[in-house]
Amino acid sequence: ATGSSGRDWSFFFCQMLLNTAAQFRRSRFWLAILILLVIAIGLASRRGYVPFPAVLGNYPGDALWAWVVLLCVAWVRPAITRTRLASWSLVIAFAIEFLQLYQAPWMQALRANKLAYLVLGNGFDPLDLVAYAAGIALGLAVDRGWERAGLRRG
């Protein structure tokens, strides 16, 4: 019974995040503002200005990075369904993480650039995938709240 209850809760949570009754078109202006805000929080977290628990290491920053991926996908396709938004965001975030397994000299030279390093990362860590999923789930929850608040394209 306990396992069934856990599945019911997780199913309800996923349905709540992914379901959209009507077409929802996000505002690119507010997406851009949110992208800048989340990037600022992520960079501040890496420098210790945002006090995430030390036990979490860099994973909160990884989750925020994945949220930015979700926001960028939404910016490119403001009317995308939440299910597709989640799917594309996970595919992109996971693909970039798996790309870190590729260590060719030209890729390492590219990663030497600070901006490229922040986008592409360096060194595969499977726990990053968990952080990405958490960041995308957070982004979906905010997106759902955004829709409910009526912050649509104006």
Side-chain angles (χ1 to χ4, degrees), residues 36-152:
L36 294 174
L37 179 64
V38 175
I39 288 172
I41 293 169
L43 292 174
S45 77
R46 293 292 172 127
R47 297 202 180 261
Y49 297 126
V50 177
F52 289 114
V55 70
L56 296 177
N58 286 333
Y59 297 116
D62 294 338
L64 292 170
W65 177 88
W67 187 7
V68 170
V69 169
L70 179 134
L71 291 169
C72 289
V73 171
W75 190 90
V76 170
R77 299 287 309 249
I80 193 170
T81 66
R82 200 167 285 113
T83 301
R84 288 189 177 175
L85 177 61
S87 299
W88 278 109
S89 301
L90 284 169
V91 165
I92 292 167
F94 281 31
I96 290 174
E97 184 65 25
F98 281 105
L99 184 62
Q100 293 174 19
L101 292 169
Y102 185 64
Q103 298 291 321
W106 70 270
M107 184 59 93
Q108 289 301 88
L110 179 63
R111 289 182 180 125
N113 175 288
K114 185 68 170 173
L115 180 59
Y117 176 79
L118 289 172
V119 173
L120 299 174
N122 190 29
F124 178 80
D125 181 358
L127 291 178
D128 285 350
L129 302 174
V130 175
Y132 298 160
I136 289 169
L138 173 63
L140 291 170
V142 170
D143 188 69
R144 178 75 172 166
W146 185 340
E147 178 187 20
R148 287 187 171 201
L151 295 175
R152 297 170 185 252

